[in-house]
Each structure stands twice: as structure tokens, then as C-alpha cells.
Amino acid sequence: MKHARVRYNGTELAVSVEADGQLKSKVDGQLINENDVEWLCPVENPGTIFALGLNYADHARELAFEPPKEPLVFLKGINTLSGHKQPAYRPDNIEFQHYECELVAVIGKTGKNIPREQAMDYIAGYTVCNDFAIRDYLENYYRPNLRVKSRDGLMPIGPWVIDKEDVGDISNLKVTTHVNGELTQEGTTADIIFDVPFLVEYLSSIMTLQPGDMIATGTPEGLKDMQPGDHVVCEIEKVGALTTYIVSEQQFYGDKY
Amino acid sequence: MTDNPIIKGQLVCVALNDAEQFDAMQTTFNEAPYKSAPTQPVLYFKPRNTWSTEGAEIPWATMDDQPAESMVVGASLVVVFGQECCRVNPEEALNYAAGYTLVHDFSLPETSYYRPDIKGKCLDGSAPIGATVVPATAIENLQALTVTTTVNGTVVNTMPLARTVRSVAELISTISHIMTLQPGDGIAVAFPGQRAVVKPGDKVTSEVADQLLLNNSLSQ
């Protein structure tokens, strides 16, 4: 089943996404048209967001890095989360902002010291995120730093969380990004260096994982600069396609700009 | 993971804000892997599994199923937000602080600032947060406060807010342009550069004289 959260008639609502694309309220079964809602982050109580840097063999090559021997993990703030078909901003006066299409594993059960063999028991399902980065802001301190990776609304996620049973094997899923309809990023999860079971074991050896925690597993090669007016679609085969509209910083913040 | 009454959203910590440490590291900053001094506040999260409380016993870290060789602690004043704080100027920034509390950041020793220190900083229960918030209105001169830390009764660190690279107001302003702060969020603004080494069973107390107190101990 696909689980989403939307704002409908001013209220946040948990829905399932039916085969025909209609949304079905989990409260009263009402069927709702997608055009009548605002999509929200599909994880109801988002917790700790882990993201992986340089976790695709091809992307590490693209950035001229040796593939890491240990996962490069960073944390993202929950202020970064937004939903499907939402605006994301390009900061003023920068040179290079790119998307990063990523498979996200959502934790469904509390665990510590989880062995790799049991890791999948702790995954509720999967979603897609676009882990935007602003390369101008990189500095060599806790890199990638919060200024690059924890900005408001710059991690759209969704459209839904799909149960892991409905996806099955995740070791060879196509990962694609289209900008304004043009294919700009194409890869496969087969190139992932540290896979989901490894990451669950690794992270839970350090700290307790809890329902609502998320692991964004990194992105393949194919980075491209984004400009206001662009729309970007990040898609993971069998999981979903996430659309984001790029706007200016002023458009995004409105009165708060 | 013990429920704390104060921080509910995010806890952002500022590293390298002790001016003594910052000045002493100038040569290091110019070498690999840093290559140049940071131009922006150096930030990290203490995620929700780290949050704990006044009086809590902090679990001694394990590494590869063995007790960690060493742990350190730093204390900081925490700005606690009571209202949304988005893109504010330094001049108005302090108006967004509901009040202040203390945090102990227990971690593995800070050996490098190059990559996010998940292994060192994200240990369960490693960020006990004070039991009380001093209202911002009760503090006359914030930058005149000093956080003092003792281990087993001996003073190991004093961190005057006057000794920082960036003031509290500057930090709130800069961070609020990266991330909108919400009620229940906090910023730990100034840890002493020399973290204090602790041992299993140690008692760690930090205070801002007559205002704030935080007591913790380490497990055996």
C-alpha cells in the first residue's frame, strides 16, 4: 500500500493512494482527487534524517573521490522536509545548486545493534527524496555542512511511503531525474556502495533507530544546475516519482523574505 | 531518549565558537583537510535519541562492542525558542529567544571537524538538557554570563560568553537564514574548545551562577 499525507480543506489527512491514483482518507474512506490536495511529507512524525554522501560508485567517480571505505553519513534537519509538487528555492547569488534523487528507507521499528540479517524487519517502507545541495556553500567543516544541506524545504520527499513488501528487492532499481522533461540523471541502486541492510546495522551500532527515522541512500551521477522556473522529477522504479518546482528565494519566503 | 521537557524539535550545536580554540587552530585550519579557516558557524545536530534530562546517568560509549577508550564533555548555554524565528537580523535576534537552559554534550573526543561526527556525537542519551528555562527577560546581559563545569567537584572548564567568535545574536541570525527555528528548537551556542575528559562513574555539573544548573553522571 502507498501511504501519503495531504492537506485537504485546510486539514492534514492521512490517505492511501489507490491503483487509479485517487486518494482514500484513512479516517472515513472518502475518495479524494489529487488535484484538490496539497501533498505533505508522507512520514507523519519525522525523526532523525540520515543522508549518505558519495554512496554510488559512479557518483563518487564523478566528483573525483575515491569511493569511501566507511559510509559518509550526515544529518538533516526536519525543517528541510516538504512534499510532492511543492516549491523549493534557489538561494540568491549562488552559482551551483543541484538535485539529488535518492531512495529513502523509512524506519518502522525501534532498534539498537541490529544485525544486517535482521535489518529489513526494521524498515517500514520506501519513498523518494530530492536532497538538494548548494555547492557554493561547501566548507571543509562537518562537510557537507548544514548551510549546504539543512535549508528550509530543500528536501522534498514523497509522494508516498510504499510498503516494503510492495517493492520487494531494492538492489537494482532504476534511478532517474528529469529536468523540464529532459533526462539528466540515470543510475541504478545496483551501484550503491553501502546498502540499506548495511546502513541499518552500521547506524544502529552507534545509536537507537526509531520509527520515523529516515535513511536517504545517496545519489548516482548526473548533476545539473537548477534555476527558478525549472521543474524536476526524481523517480525511483517501483517506488514513485517526486515533482518539485524551483522558485526564487524571495518567492519561497514571501513576506518573510 | 528520556523525554526532556524543553527540546522537542531540533537541537543545533555550534562548534569552534570558543575564540581561544579558534585562534589556536589557525595553523591547523590552513592545512589539509580544512585548507582554510571556516567562514561560517560550524554546526552539528544532537538528534532526538541523544536528548536526556537533568540527573540522568549517561551510558558509557561502546565501540565495536567494547567500552570506548575515552569520552569528553562540553557544556553550553542553549537558546530555547518559543516562537517561529525565520530570517531575523542580529539586532532583533534575541527577541526570539524564549529563554535559556544548559546542555551537556557528551561525546567521543573531537579528533577532526572535517566530516559530520555521527559516531562521536550521536550516542544515545549523550545530550542531557537542563530541567528549567531561565526566561530571556530575567537575563540582563547575556554576553556577560559564564558556564562553569566541574567533574567530581573540580572545575574543569569555564566558558564566558564574552570569549566567543560569534555572539548569540549573530548565531541566531545566521542560523535563522538557513533554517526556520520553531518553538521547542534550541541552539547550543558556545562549548569550551578544550572538552573535559571524563571517566566511567564521574559526576559532571555545569552552572551559570545563580541561574542554571545541570547535574549528570556517567555509567560505570
Side-chain angles (χ1 to χ4, degrees):
Chain A
M1 188 187 277
K2 295 169 180 168
H3 311 268
R5 296 188 60 80
V6 297
R7 186 171 288 118
Y8 175 62
N9 286 340
T11 313
E12 285 187 24
L13 188 64
V15 297
S16 59
V17 182
E18 302 299 293
D20 62 0
Q22 288 216 93
L23 309 179
K24 187 173 177 182
S25 165
K26 289 192 184 180
V27 179
D28 58 9
Q30 183 191 355
L31 288 171
I32 301 165
N33 189 305
E34 190 214 319
N35 296 325
D36 297 331
V37 305
E38 175 192 340
W39 295 85
L40 306 172
C41 165
V43 179
E44 181 174 6
N45 292 305
T48 302
I49 307 169
F50 303 94
L52 272 286
L54 309 174
N55 199 32
Y56 276 72
D58 64 347
H59 180 57
R61 278 196 303 273
E62 178 185 36
L63 295 176
F65 280 94
E66 283 288 314
K69 294 176 179 61
E70 191 170 346
L72 166 53
V73 181
F74 56 98
L75 303 184
K76 296 176 64 80
I78 51 178
N79 62 298
T80 62
L81 296 169
S82 82
H84 179 46
K85 294 188 174 174
Q86 298 306 306
Y89 77 97
R90 177 185 175 89
D92 298 339
N93 307 314
I94 59 153
E95 296 293 323
F96 192 19
Q97 169 180 31
H98 60 74
Y99 51 77
E100 295 188 4
C101 176
E102 308 199 7
L103 173 70
V104 180
V106 181
I107 302 294
K109 195 165 106 176
T110 299
K112 178 98 193 340
N113 295 321
I114 302 163
R116 170 184 179 102
E117 298 72 34
Q118 291 167 26
M120 297 313 276
D121 298 346
Y122 292 80
I123 304 296
Y126 306 104
T127 185
V128 182
C129 81
N130 186 342
D131 185 20
F132 283 106
I134 294 101
R135 301 202 72 81
D136 305 54
Y137 294 158
L138 279 171
E139 293 201 79
N140 289 329
Y141 296 87
Y142 292 150
R143 175 181 173 134
N145 35 322
L146 271 64
R147 192 167 174 237
V148 177
K149 284 290 189 179
S150 269
R151 308 186 75 84
D152 288 340
L154 283 179
M155 185 180 172
I157 184 166
W160 45 69
V161 175
I162 182 167
D163 292 331
K164 65 180 169 198
E165 295 80 10
D166 295 346
V167 180
D169 181 17
I170 55 167
S171 66
N172 190 12
L173 301 176
K174 208 153 99 172
V175 178
T176 54
T177 299
H178 287 80
V179 177
N180 305 328
E182 181 198 341
L183 180 68
T184 54
Q185 183 177 39
E186 189 171 18
T188 160
T189 59
D191 281 338
I192 283 181
I193 299 168
F194 300 104
D195 65 9
V196 170
F198 178 96
L199 293 169
V200 168
E201 177 177 279
Y202 175 81
L203 293 169
S204 74
S205 75
I206 299 168
M207 57 202 283
T208 301
L209 299 179
Q210 300 172 66
D213 289 354
M214 292 166 243
I215 305 172
T217 55
T219 201
E221 66 182 343
L223 306 177
K224 190 175 176 297
D225 186 39
M226 310 292 306
Q227 293 291 336
D230 288 345
H231 77 269
V232 51
V233 181
C234 292
E235 181 164 8
I236 311 271
E237 183 184 1
K238 294 188 185 174
V239 178
L242 171 75
T243 298
T244 303
Y245 305 107
I246 310 299
V247 299
S248 71
E249 188 162 7
Q250 184 165 11
Q251 282 173 302
F252 182 80
Y253 280 105
D255 292 347
K256 294 175 193 162
Y257 179 72
Chain B
M1 287 184 300
T2 318
D3 211 14
N4 86 87
I6 295 168
I7 300 298
K8 300 293 180 189
Q10 320 207 63
L11 178 57
V12 180
C13 300
V14 184
L16 301 176
N17 197 31
D18 179 340
E20 275 184 9
Q21 177 195 26
F22 197 88
D23 293 344
M25 285 187 72
Q26 285 303 315
T27 308
T28 308
F29 288 155
N30 288 321
E31 294 165 354
Y34 309 115
K35 296 177 185 162
S36 59
T39 68
Q40 298 288 320
V42 176
L43 307 175
Y44 61 98
F45 287 111
K46 291 291 278 193
R48 61 177 176 169
N49 67 299
T50 68
W51 302 344
S52 186
T53 58
E54 155 68 24
E57 185 180 270
I58 312 308
W60 188 262
T62 54
M63 292 280 287
D64 304 322
D65 298 327
Q66 299 295 317
E69 267 178 41
S70 45
M71 284 182 73
V72 296
V73 66
S76 171
L77 194 79
V78 177
V79 181
V80 178
F81 291 86
Q83 59 176 311
E84 185 180 282
C85 176
C86 177
R87 302 170 72 91
V88 300
N89 299 319
E91 295 72 31
E92 56 176 343
L94 293 181
N95 300 336
Y96 289 82
Y100 303 93
T101 189
L102 287 172
V103 66
H104 280 147
D105 175 16
F106 289 92
S107 70
L108 302 181
E110 293 186 346
T111 52
S112 169
Y113 299 95
Y114 179 50
R115 290 299 190 189
D117 189 10
I118 308 298
K119 275 186 176 170
K121 292 293 188 191
C122 295
L123 307 165
D124 284 349
S126 63
I129 293 149
T132 54
V133 174
V134 174
T137 49
I139 307 253
E140 231 167 76
N141 183 0
L142 185 65
Q143 294 299 134
L145 299 183
T146 294
V147 178
T148 304
T149 301
T150 63
V151 175
N152 303 326
T154 304
V155 173
V156 292
N157 260 319
T158 54
M159 182 65 212
L161 282 184
R163 200 178 77 200
T164 53
V165 179
R166 291 180 180 83
S167 70
V168 176
E170 258 182 285
L171 290 168
I172 294 173
S173 172
T174 301
I175 294 168
S176 78
H177 282 80
I178 298 171
M179 52 203 298
T180 300
L181 298 149
Q182 301 290 347
D185 286 352
I187 301 175
V189 288
F191 294 94
Q194 289 292 330
R195 302 278 175 130
V197 175
V198 289
K199 299 184 306 296
D202 279 353
K203 294 190 183 329
V204 180
T205 295
S206 294
E207 62 176 2
V208 173
D210 304 326
Q211 305 266 17
L212 288 165
L213 187 64
L214 179 58
N215 298 286
N216 293 107
S217 59
L218 284 136
S219 69
Q220 287 292 343

